Structure formats: structure tokens, C-alpha cells
Amino acid sequence: MIDLRSDTVTRPTAAMRQAMAAAEVGDDVLGDDPTVAKLEQATAEILGKEAAVYMPSGTMTNQVAVRAHTEPGDEILLDANAHVYYYEAGAPAALSGVMCRLLAGVRGIFTGRDVRDALRPRNLHFPRTKLVCIENTHNRGGGSVWTLEQIADVHAVARDAGLKLHLDGARIWNAAVALGVREQEIARWFDSVSVCFSKGLGAPVGSVLAGTSEFIERARRFRKQFGGGMRQAGIIAAGALYALEHHRERLRTDHENARWFAEQIAGIPGIQLDPTTVQTNIIVFDVTSMPAEAFGRALQEAGVLVLARGASEVRAVTHLDVTRKQIEQAVEIIRKILQQRSVMNAAPDA
Ligand SMILES: *Cc1c(COP(=O)(O)O)cnc(C)c1O
């Protein structure tokens, strides 16, 4: 199977498994796991932050950040398609008791003006707005990249209004490669940053939340409260550490593969896609000659997995477990399926 559903499907490499097997461990709830400590330190350094804390998932790092920045009844501002709002099972309401005010970004990217328009006067009637969340790269936006200028624009408004800024940087690694900057040049605009090791970096488990020492101390308490305190977590942290050291640079290859795939399928009748929208490793396109679900099933029978979402939308993602050759095969399979389809549609008795 050529699995293009997500960059979460990667399996640890042999070298990564070796690093995991050899990891020094201890009880991390007691602060005794040297590998977890090393991962937290290394990530904080890469992001240019004082401190960091390791957790089992990106959902948890995001939601602990929301909790640590707010009190129940507060309001947070974020794009209507933000992972924090869209894909985290209602957690802002369930775990932090906050309201989400949704901004209408373009492919997940909103502006300082959008934030300014959402600001509320100080008045007894309103919730208190505390936090703005940005997602870079933006998952539902099709792996779109916030530029440093776009971030600075939102940052200026947030700072003037006394709002905190959180980055859902599950794919900050892809953003850094796409922008040609170091991760800390992105992270420096934010009070807190959450990053994932189990997406494009290919580690089996885990995310880190980074920020000031004081903020991370507060976050550690909420991690415990949310059930995210782990014991000999060095086993999995070693995989993340290995990924951090060895798999960041190669994301460039995933981006090249994604762009090539997009350019190829954009020319196939029955597919609607502007390949210039493909900035990183995510390709979102529309199938116009058959329902997306049927397209997904036909692809699966031919050995390619993608995600059909909605009536016509399909998502494909490149990652370290798919080679250029497999991407080429996937293109040919898509071409064949849609050619067959157009013959069927053209038949007089169809
Ligand atoms: C995957 C992802 C997360 C975290 O998801 P988990 O499955 O909880 O690890 C957070 N934000 C974005 C943008 C993501 O794509």
C-alpha cells in the first residue's frame, strides 16, 4: 500500500528503534528521566524558549496551553479551521471552559485586522479575550505557511491588546523548511509553541510545549491534571530526539514530492487543483468526475490510500515512508482510474 492519508502513518526506522531500545530512562513524573529531560532541553533550544515539557500528543500540548493561558469563561481567537477547534473533540469547552471565537482565515491564515475587528470593549457583558492561536503550517488549510510578516502583523495587534499568542506548530518543521528560516525565527513571536514529533519527523509518539520557565511550570501542573504525566517515557522520547536530530532536513524531499505530485495530477481531467497552493507536504484537491468517496475506494483497491473529505475534496500527504517512485506510481493509478471514469461517463448508456 502507498499510504498518503497522513504523515502520522510513518513507522520508526531501524536506527530510531535502536535509539529507543538504548534509551536511559527513569520516572519522569518524579523528574528522573534523563532522555525526556534531554528532549525537552533540545526542543526548547531549537525553538529559542526557556523551557519545554513533553506530552503524549499534540492535542494535549495545545489544550494544556489553552488551559494555562486562560480561566473558565474566557475567550480565545482562532481560525475556523484550526486544529485546536476543529479536531480536538471540543476540548477548549470541555477542559478549559473557554469560548472559541472563530476568524475566517484564507486557507487558515487570518490578519491583524481580523483580530482587531474581533476585539471587545472592556465591558461587564463580554467574555474576556485572552489568547490568539495561529497554526503553522495549517493542516486544513492544505499545509499552508504563515510568513513571518503575517505572524508579525497578528503579533502587533495581539500585543497592543494584551493578548497572548500560541502557536500550534505541529508542523513548524515543515514551515521552517518552506520559509528557509530556523524554527526559532518563527517561535520567537509566540508566548507558547506546541510541536509534534509524530508527523513528518516520523517518531512514534509525542509532542512538546515550549515557553517561559514560569509558563511551563504552570503547564506541568495541567499536564498532570489532564492525565499526561508519564513514567519511563524516555523510551518514546528517544524516538522523538532521534527524529529531531535526523529527520528535519529531509522534509525538503517531502515538499518536493508533494509539489511534483500536485503538478502531475493537476493536468489530469477530472481533477481540480492549483499546484501553486501546495507549499509543503499536504495536497488538497477536488475530484469533479466522481464522488470523492468512490474515488478513494477505487484508489484503495489499486493500492493507494488517501483521505476523502466532503463530497469532492481529497487530501494526500507525503512523508518519510513514501518514496518518489511510489509517488510516481500513485500518479499513474490516479490517471488510470479517472480515465476509466471519463470513458464510463461518456458511454451512451451510462
Ligand atoms: C496532528 C496535529 C495536532 C496534534 O494531533 P495529535 O493527534 O493529538 O497528536 C495538532 N495540530 C495540528 C495542526 C495537527 O496537524
Side-chain angles (χ1 to χ4, degrees), residues 7-8 56-62 82-84 87-88 135-140 168-171 194 196 198-199 206-207 315:
D7 47 10
T8 56
S57 74
T59 297
M60 191 181 281
T61 49
N62 278 334
H83 197 281
V84 168
Y87 282 129
E88 299 188 5
E135 187 174 317
N136 200 13
T137 68
H138 200 283
N139 184 338
R140 278 185 67 79
D168 178 352
R171 295 190 180 81
S194 98
C196 282
S198 63
K199 301 277 168 76
S207 280
R315 187 183 86 158

Side-chain angles (χ1 to χ4, degrees), residues 12 14 62 89 93 111 148 153 159 189-190 197 213 221 225-226 238 274 283 287 292 302 307 313 321 335 338:
N62 278 334
T111 64
L148 298 181
D153 175 38
R159 187 195 47 209
W189 299 96
F190 296 89
F197 303 107
S213 303
R221 181 170 176 77
Q225 196 175 77
F226 288 10
D274 174 359
I283 307 107
V287 178
L307 276 189
E313 197 172 276
D321 281 358
R335 195 187 306 283
L338 288 174

Side-chain angles (χ1 to χ4, degrees), residues 229-247:
M230 296 182 284
R231 303 297 178 180
Q232 285 70 29
I235 296 279
I236 48 175
L241 202 51
Y242 182 91
L244 204 55
E245 287 164 2
H246 296 94
H247 290 170

